[in-house]
Amino acid sequence: MNYKAILSQKGYRLSAPRKQIIELLEVADVALSPQQIHNQLQQNGSALGLVSVYRTLGLLTELGLVTILYDPQLNPGYVLRTQGHHHHIVCQNCHKALEFPATNDIDSLVERVEKQTSFQVRDHLLQLFGLCPDCKQPDSKGVLS
Ligand SMILES: [Zn+2]
Ligand SMILES: [Zn+2]
C-alpha cells in the first residue's frame, strides 16, 4: 500500500516519525505495542520519544492506516490495515496476526441483535483467535480425516 499517497490525500505529509513507525509495522507479523515500537525505534537509532509514538499511532489510527489488536496474553498492539472492510485473526500461540477481507457474514447476527435489543447497530469490532499453520498440531488434520 502507498501510505505516502494516503497520507497526502488526507492532508498529511509522511513525516519522519510516521515513516519510521509505518516501516516498522510493515515488516512486523505481530501486533506491536507503543512500548515495543518505541524500543525497536531506539534500537534503530531513532530519538523518537514514547509520547510521540503514542501521538503518531493515534493519528494513524484516526486516518485508518493502523488498527489496534487485542490479545488476552499481551498488551494491545498496532498493525497496519488495508483500506476497506477487513478483520484480523491472531495466533494464540505465536501471536502472529493476519488480515482477512470481511464479508457480510455478520449481517444476520446484527439483524438478530437489533431485534432483541431495539438498538440500531452502527459498527462492530470483530477479531478471531486460533492457531496459525505453523502452530497447529501437525497431526490434527490426519486425526480428523
Ligand atoms: Zn502461530
Ligand atoms: Zn466487519
Side-chain angles (χ1 to χ4, degrees), residues 14 29 35 45 51 63-64 70 89 99 113 116 121 134 140 143:
L14 187 60
D29 58 359
Q35 187 65 58
V51 173
L63 297 178
Y70 298 92
I89 185 163
E99 192 180 58
V113 170
Q116 285 172 346
V121 175
D134 291 336
S140 65
V143 170

Side-chain angles (χ1 to χ4, degrees), residues 91 93-96 131-132 134-135:
C91 180
N93 186 50
C94 71
H95 307 286
K96 188 187 304 174
L131 291 174
C132 76
D134 291 336
C135 297

Side-chain angles (χ1 to χ4, degrees), residues 12-121:
Y12 294 87
R13 56 188 196 88
L14 187 60
S15 63
R18 292 167 196 160
K19 187 168 189 279
Q20 285 167 9
I21 290 178
I22 287 171
E23 282 175 354
L24 198 64
L25 293 177
E26 245 175 345
V27 294
D29 58 359
V30 297
L32 298 176
S33 70
Q35 187 65 58
Q36 284 174 309
I37 291 171
H38 180 239
N39 291 347
Q40 291 201 23
L41 289 178
Q42 266 191 330
Q43 277 170 24
N44 297 346
S46 163
L48 196 65
L50 186 57
V51 173
S52 301
V53 171
Y54 272 102
R55 198 183 301 134
T56 304
L57 286 169
L59 175 73
L60 295 177
T61 304
E62 207 178 291
L63 297 178
L65 291 172
V66 305
T67 191
I68 296 185
L69 293 190
Y70 298 92
D71 195 320
Q73 296 161 285
L74 303 171
N75 291 323
Y78 289 80
V79 288
L80 291 177
R81 65 180 288 278
T82 312
Q83 304 294 290
H85 192 181
H86 288 83
H87 294 294
H88 283 81
I89 185 163
V90 177
C91 180
Q92 291 168 306
N93 186 50
C94 71
H95 307 286
K96 188 187 304 174
L98 202 72
E99 192 180 58
F100 62 90
T103 61
N104 52 4
D105 284 350
I106 70 160
D107 285 1
S108 59
L109 173 66
V110 167
E111 213 172 289
R112 199 178 76 217
V113 170
E114 284 187 328
K115 246 181 219 143
Q116 285 172 346
T117 65
S118 300
F119 269 59
Q120 180 195 12
V121 175

